[in-house]
Amino acid sequence: KARNKEMYAKHLRQIFRQIDVDGSGMITMDELRQFLQDESLELTEYFEALEIDAEDAKALFTLLDRDDSGEIDVEEFCDGCLRLKGEAKSFDINCLLYNSKRM
């Protein structure tokens, strides 16, 4: 199980580096949106392999950007994706928690 987690984290770091087009070590919602729209990069397949819906990635970004800075770092991205991997209920609960804190 630990080995699988390492493998997932490695793939997530690769995805993060591809999304981080300016090499800043942070990704913005614009970078993520641009990456999701570029079908030639096959991001959807990456996320599906990790059991994360690519559409969920947008909500995940919002959940991770707790300080509303508009940026998240690689650790936040990887930790969040691993925490939510294949767990729709956990993802939905986190979305509800996020929305309730915003009110």
Side-chain angles (χ1 to χ4, degrees):
K1 191 170 182 176
R3 190 168 144 157
N4 283 343
K5 186 176 178 180
E6 287 177 30
M7 183 182 69
Y8 289 133
K10 180 180 176 183
H11 287 290
L12 288 167
R13 280 184 170 74
Q14 289 172 343
I15 292 168
F16 184 93
R17 283 191 294 273
Q18 287 184 318
I19 297 170
D20 181 24
V21 292
D22 64 2
S24 67
M26 305 289 276
I27 59 173
T28 64
M29 182 56 106
D30 287 339
E31 284 177 315
L32 181 62
R33 220 180 256 127
Q34 179 183 359
F35 199 75
L36 287 170
Q37 291 172 354
D38 190 342
E39 293 178 17
S40 69
L41 296 173
E42 301 174 353
L43 178 67
T44 305
E45 286 82 10
Y46 275 124
F47 277 116
E48 285 175 4
L50 297 171
E51 300 174 38
I52 298 169
D53 188 310
E55 288 301 311
D56 292 345
K58 293 174 189 174
L60 175 65
F61 182 95
T62 303
L63 287 171
L64 294 176
D65 185 21
R66 294 182 188 262
D67 62 357
D68 292 323
S69 67
E71 299 179 322
I72 58 171
D73 65 29
V74 68
E75 293 306 316
E76 290 172 319
F77 183 78
C78 291
D79 291 347
C81 288
L82 286 170
R83 186 174 62 247
L84 299 173
K85 182 184 121 6
E87 297 182 21
K89 291 179 185 172
S90 176
F91 182 81
D92 293 339
I93 289 168
N94 278 285
C95 284
L96 289 172
L97 288 171
Y98 172 79
N99 288 328
S100 70
K101 287 178 184 178
R102 290 287 186 178
M103 293 181 169

